[in-house]
Amino acid sequence: MKLFMDESGNGNPSQPLIVGAVELGDDADEIEEKILDLYERLFARNSLAGFLSFEEFRKKGFHASNDPLEVSGPFLELIRDTFFRAYIVVTDRMGVPGDTEFKRIEFMYVKLLSDIVIRHRREPEILCYIEQSEGMASIIRRLPGSVVRQACKKTGKAAPLPKLNIAMVAKRDYMSTAVVDYVMAAVSRWILADRTTNPGHRPYRAFREIEPFISMLYSFEHGSISSRKDPLH
């Protein structure tokens, strides 16, 4: 099983702090090929050459906060036809411990990954790819041990758990990291819009499009917001 993880809102107190994971199954390699094929087709669109956000896309790959509509539209269409499960934890920075952003992020990674390894305890191995970012290297070194300790604390016993292999990757190395990026962007914009349920508001419509893929959306301050067992819709 492959997990692709990232964080959003890091260092920006006006935005919610989010850590997300997207789980891809046996067709993970096929999904990666489809995303890469779309990237190559969009890359070749010379009509957008010179447009700043498009040139950023050409250099770095898909990114929800920067991609022009000519890029984000086709990418969203692709992931709507893709099977994946998303796990998201979010905070307004009041309900998580830590006096720095990276300490909060590490806490959130540990909590989210421990829940995922318990959920998938019958899997022999989980391959976890975290998007490359400044400061994450030291966190990644500590994650495997911290996740096992947290999982054992939660279950109350030293139960068998999957082997957790974690690697830090650039978006251009694994285009599938963009899926979690787009999911987190939709969640963040919806939360910033006060979790509106007005269909006339675009953040709500965008959230509704990705909600069927959400296995867990959990706030450290407000508890469960949406899940497969208890979706909003």
Side-chain angles (χ1 to χ4, degrees), residues 2 6-7 12 18 34 38 48 69 74 77 88 117 161 192 196 199 213-214 226 229-230:
K2 289 185 178 180
D6 199 3
E7 70 275 353
N12 189 343
I18 298 175
K34 288 180 179 179
L38 177 62
L48 293 171
L69 287 173
E77 287 295 328
I88 309 289
V117 298
L161 296 170
L192 286 171
T196 176
F213 303 101
I214 292 178
S226 178
K229 291 181 179 179
D230 189 23

Side-chain angles (χ1 to χ4, degrees), residues 92-103:
D92 61 13
R93 297 171 176 79
M94 300 299 292
V96 296
D99 55 0
T100 68
E101 202 81 320
F102 278 111
K103 287 180 181 178

Side-chain angles (χ1 to χ4, degrees), residues 7-13 15-18 93 101-102 105 133-134:
E7 70 275 353
S8 171
N10 182 9
N12 189 343
Q15 295 182 5
L17 186 61
I18 298 175
R93 297 171 176 79
E101 202 81 320
F102 278 111
I105 288 170
S133 63
E134 186 179 350

Side-chain angles (χ1 to χ4, degrees), residues 31-39 62 75 78 175-176:
I31 293 169
E32 176 70 17
E33 294 232 355
K34 288 180 179 179
I35 296 173
L36 181 57
D37 178 67
L38 177 62
Y39 169 77
F62 297 97
F75 186 79
L78 175 65
M175 291 282 181
S176 297

Side-chain angles (χ1 to χ4, degrees), residues 52-71:
L52 183 59
S53 60
F54 180 69
E55 296 300 341
E56 282 293 302
F57 157 73
R58 278 178 159 176
K59 285 191 287 187
K60 298 180 180 179
F62 297 97
H63 198 287
S65 65
N66 194 57
D67 290 342
L69 287 173
E70 294 88 345
V71 170

